[in-house]
Amino acid sequence: MDILQRLARFLDRPLFPWKRLIIGFSVAQYLFEGFLGMRQYQVLQKKKPPKVLELEVSQEVYDKSQAYGRAKAKFEVFSGLYGQIQNILFIQFDVLPKLWSWSGSLLLRFAPTRFTGEISQSIVFILSFIVIQQILSLPTSIYHTFVLEEKFGFNKQTPQLFVTDMIKSNLLAFVLAPPILAGFLSIVKKTGSQFFYYLWLFGAGLQVFMITIYPIAILPLFNKLSPLEEGKLKTDVENLAKNLKFPLHELYVIDGSKRSAHSNAYFFGMPWKKHIVIYDTLIEKSETEEVVAVLAHELGHWSLGHTTRLFAISQVHFFYIFSLFSVFINNNSLYTDFGFTSEHPIIVGFLLFSDILGPMDTVIKLLMNILSRRFEFQADAFAKNLGHEAKLASSLIKLQIQNLSTMDADWMFASYHFSHPILTERLKALNWVPTAKVEVKETAKDGEATTTGRDEL
């Protein structure tokens, strides 16, 4: 495309301060999100729940929900600052060119000659980068899991399970990253200036492949899927799927409770063969009719074509990213400013391009959240039209209480961060009439919060 070539020439300016630009983008985004966080923190200091929830939510639950929200907000500020410091130090001390040089030296020393090209070096570089990021993220990960979540009763992980999951995740990255990176780089190298077409097709194929193998080969490494036992719940869900002509193949229960008290329900699979997965915590904490109502909402996304549309949008987004990457892939000034004077590794160019893309991705995230909230309202309306409005509403309230989810939100914060409408908006759309406090099943210790809903359903 001629316009992309002209843009590439325009942006490749000697001595252009790319480092300062990328740091400026990153800091500006952090400050903007901090501003939104301050607005939300004021909401989290309110003493009374929204009027629509006054009858359903006790003062004790509301106070605990507000405290949980404030604790998460403080954590986000400090973890974000920690990430900013890392990013700035990585850039200022030229960590990327040093890591690239080390990767090449490692291959020259230990690998056969045929494994010393750019593709092999890129694989070692990325895997090393993943390990470094994993180590640097450990303090915030440990604090979030074993301090913040533990304090409010959500964490079910043991230190042993935490370490095991981390090892499995890294091993998975070491297995999957090399062939994916090799394919990515080979396409760029062999298809010339029009590589983004082929890269887009590769990405689409990879998505379909991962959707196919994830439940078969990856999910079982971390969780156990068991067929849902015979009974009223299974019968009702199968009838729901049959009425909607949903191609249900199997109903599973997942042991989410071994890591967290949060819960969810979702479906996966190819268009002609779908599987529904229900978290054990959702079954334990909800009535049968409420679980069916939640699944009516989820299948509403399928019936209304939301999943297909979101997949199509993701393909457009991928094409936009790869075509724009073609503008920066040979940008000498970008590589030079980051310390790559003699080599221009493709994978490094992609990482730097991703940082430049940050502001545009923020806008896309905002637009996607707007679309996602619209889809959530439509899925709620779908469940309502099937006669599940009362049970869906009560389920949402229960899950909100059990999860200690934010009962209210600043409109700017919600617009930027939330992919789902807040509970009060959903109840209003469902024509919910406040009656009395919702009874929540208790299977955990007294005072312990369990399961989640608003952010998942």
Side-chain angles (χ1 to χ4, degrees), residues 149-266:
E149 294 290 288
E150 187 79 30
K151 179 181 178 181
F152 289 92
F154 291 113
N155 176 49
K156 303 299 177 186
Q157 283 197 79
T158 62
Q160 181 182 1
L161 184 59
F162 180 86
V163 172
T164 303
D165 280 353
M166 184 173 63
I167 292 171
K168 286 180 180 177
S169 297
N170 282 317
L171 288 175
L172 201 58
F174 273 65
V175 170
L176 294 177
I180 293 172
L181 277 171
F184 176 94
L185 296 171
S186 297
I187 289 170
V188 175
K189 281 176 166 291
K190 293 178 180 179
T191 54
S193 60
Q194 305 299 308
F195 71 85
F196 51 90
Y197 289 114
Y198 303 96
L199 211 52
W200 171 57
L201 292 172
F202 174 73
L206 183 62
Q207 267 191 300
V208 173
F209 175 73
M210 292 303 294
I211 289 170
T212 305
I213 70 159
Y214 175 77
I216 301 168
I218 299 175
L219 185 58
L221 295 174
F222 301 93
N223 290 96
K224 181 181 178 182
L225 289 177
S226 305
L228 180 63
E229 294 179 357
E230 296 294 333
K232 187 175 186 329
L233 177 58
K234 185 175 182 179
T235 301
D236 288 354
V237 174
E238 287 176 341
N239 288 337
L240 174 67
K242 184 178 179 180
N243 292 337
L244 297 176
K245 294 182 172 56
F246 180 78
L248 177 62
H249 180 70
E250 189 63 82
L251 269 168
Y252 292 111
V253 178
I254 189 170
D255 61 340
S257 58
K258 77 176 185 180
R259 284 182 181 79
S260 173
H262 296 305
S263 73
N264 195 9
Y266 62 91

